[in-house]
């Protein structure tokens, strides 16, 4: 089985910073993509940022220049550095990994439990 463990959420004032971390454990042959999604009250879940094993990264427009995603292949982990946080960043953040577990040719998507990020004065 595969599990994703998240940490780093909390309450922060506007303009502050937080760092989210996620580590995948279990039977993992290789990781295709790891990233972070978020879901705010009354809104659909959206992709925030992600990277691929080849090193490419992508961000949603609203966080470009403020958030930075990074990965560590040796530890099967991903981190999201969030700077200059805004109230509209308030959401539950979910770690996601698309990886190969049972065989080399079929990948599946796995999700963490989610961690709350609240930006408020």
């Amino acid at each position: 089985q595969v599990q994703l463990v998240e940490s780093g959420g909390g309450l922060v004032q506007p303009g502050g910073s937080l760092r989210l971390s996620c580590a995948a454990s279990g039977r993992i042959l290789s990781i295709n993509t790891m990233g972070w999604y978020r879901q705010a009250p009354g809104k659909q879940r959206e992709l925030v940022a992600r990277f691929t094993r080849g090193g490419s990264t992508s961000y949603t427009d609203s966080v470009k220049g403020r958030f930075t995603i990074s990965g560590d292949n040796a530890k099967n982990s991903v981190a999201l550095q969030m700077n200059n946080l805004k109230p509209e960043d308030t959401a539950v953040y979910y770690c996601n990994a698309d990886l190969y577990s049972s065989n080399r040719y079929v990948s599946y998507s796995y999700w963490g439990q989610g961690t709350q990020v609240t930006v408020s004065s």
Side-chain angles (χ1 to χ4, degrees):
Q1 58 181 331
V2 175
Q3 292 184 331
L4 304 181
V5 180
E6 303 152 320
S7 63
L11 174 65
V12 65
Q13 294 184 350
S17 298
L18 286 173
R19 184 177 178 87
L20 305 182
S21 298
C22 175
S25 62
R27 178 177 170 80
I28 301 172
L29 298 178
S30 65
I31 296 176
N32 184 39
T33 303
M34 290 192 74
W36 292 89
Y37 291 70
R38 68 185 180 187
Q39 187 166 20
K43 300 183 65 177
Q44 294 185 339
R45 185 176 298 185
E46 66 172 348
L47 174 67
V48 179
R50 66 180 175 185
F51 74 92
T52 67
R53 183 169 56 86
S56 64
T57 60
S58 61
Y59 300 87
T60 190
D61 287 343
S62 63
V63 308
K64 289 180 178 178
R66 300 188 297 121
F67 292 9
T68 302
I69 190 169
S70 61
D72 187 333
N73 287 330
K75 298 181 179 180
N76 294 326
S77 65
V78 61
L80 184 68
Q81 179 66 45
M82 304 185 293
N83 297 326
N84 192 24
L85 284 161
K86 303 176 180 180
E88 50 264 44
D89 295 317
T90 296
V92 177
Y93 284 69
Y94 297 90
C95 179
N96 170 260
D98 185 81
L99 56 83
Y100 300 88
S101 180
S102 60
N103 68 77
R104 180 72 66 179
Y105 307 102
V106 180
S107 65
Y108 290 90
S109 183
Y110 298 86
W111 294 89
Q113 292 285 81
T115 183
Q116 177 71 48
V117 172
T118 302
V119 184
S120 176
S121 60

